Amino acid sequence: TAGITQAPTSQILAAGRSMTLRCTQDMRHNAMYWYRQDLGLGLRLIHYSNTAGTTGKGEVPDGYSVSRANTDDFPLTLASAVPSQTSVYFCASSDGTSGMNEQYFGPGTRLTVT
Amino acid sequence: QQQVKQSPQSLIVQKGGISIINCAYENTAFDYFPWYQQFPGKGPALLIAIRPDVSEKKEGRFTISFNKSAKQFSLHIMDSQPGDSATYFCAASSGDYKLSFGAGTTVTVRA
């Protein structure tokens, strides 16, 4: 199975431009998440969705927006990119029902904002 | 401010040695403590996890030790192998399924 796919793999983006990072899962998981990974800071939660139609803010939501129109897709949008958004972005999902909330991660998108 | 503090930032161990990574937390509502393993260019993957009702969990060469009173937990990698070279993240959650991650530890196993 594919699990979680993310696109693009990498991108260089000019400051002020907008961009949408795509995430699709084929596991029919209820919950999905977006993280950014920065050296020395680990993974920080940007936004999450417990089920289709609902979203919530994580630890570092400013400058990002998400939508969850269906179970499988959870796009992350940067409306006006800034250099501090240079990072590696990971999408993850979990079934949200088991006691041990294992999250499955995609391969990541490396974004450079110049 | 990170809710889970992880140390060391990096460590080097000889093949066959023991790698130990420590994590500490303050939020007493945390009730799920996973460890994730990440290889370069890949997303993190769950390695092992524990709940606070047990003090130790072992899976193969990987063991989590949990000290509820000290609010600390650690990962021990026994008989470390070169294939264990990766970055390890501890994490914690409090039933809402959102994970708070530590900063990560890069483990290098020398052959």
Side-chain angles (χ1 to χ4, degrees):
Chain A
T1 59
I4 294 184
T5 57
Q6 291 185 237
T9 302
S10 65
Q11 183 74 45
I12 298 174
L13 185 68
R17 301 296 295 269
S18 66
M19 180 175 182
T20 295
L21 281 60
R22 301 185 297 279
C23 174
T24 300
Q25 54 111 353
D26 64 1
M27 298 173 281
R28 306 301 294 171
H29 283 169
N30 289 316
M32 296 188 75
Y33 316 85
W34 273 105
Y35 294 90
R36 60 177 291 172
Q37 182 175 15
D38 302 288
L39 192 63
L41 297 175
L43 294 114
R44 293 181 292 168
L45 183 65
I46 304 171
H47 284 287
Y48 66 95
S49 169
N50 286 334
T51 189
T54 69
T55 62
K57 295 181 179 180
E59 183 184 353
V60 287
D62 294 344
Y64 307 95
S65 63
V66 292
S67 62
R68 187 88 184 276
N70 56 62
T71 297
D72 299 341
D73 301 299
F74 191 43
L76 176 73
T77 297
L78 289 68
S80 180
V82 295
S84 62
Q85 292 178 309
T86 293
S87 186
V88 181
Y89 291 86
F90 288 99
C91 179
S93 71
S94 68
D95 66 13
T97 57
S98 66
M100 303 288 266
N101 181 37
E102 178 174 1
Q103 293 189 13
Y104 297 81
F105 284 79
T109 293
R110 181 174 296 275
L111 178 66
T112 302
V113 181
T114 60
Chain B
Q1 182 180 356
Q2 282 193 297
Q3 295 194 58
V4 180
K5 298 189 186 307
Q6 183 172 348
S7 63
Q9 187 173 15
S10 64
L11 66 89
I12 299 172
V13 63
Q14 291 296 120
K15 179 181 176 182
I18 302 173
S19 304
I20 301 175
I21 306 169
N22 300 300
C23 287
Y25 64 96
E26 289 297 325
N27 187 347
T28 55
F30 285 150
D31 62 358
Y32 171 65
F33 303 88
W35 285 88
Y36 280 77
Q37 180 187 53
Q38 183 181 31
F39 294 104
K42 305 291 186 182
L46 180 67
L47 181 65
I48 187 173
I50 197 170
R51 286 210 175 272
D53 52 346
V54 297
S55 59
E56 184 174 283
K57 182 174 181 180
K58 184 176 180 180
E59 289 186 3
R61 296 183 292 105
F62 300 91
T63 299
I64 299 179
S65 297
F66 186 81
N67 186 328
K68 188 174 181 178
S69 61
K71 292 183 284 187
Q72 296 175 347
F73 58 111
S74 61
L75 177 70
H76 291 62
I77 307 174
M78 313 300 288
D79 186 26
S80 296
Q81 300 296 311
D84 297 332
S85 296
T87 299
Y88 294 82
F89 294 95
C90 60
S93 72
S94 58
D96 59 359
Y97 303 120
K98 292 184 291 183
L99 289 172
S100 294
F101 283 87
T105 297
T106 300
V107 174
T108 302
V109 181
R110 295 269 167 82

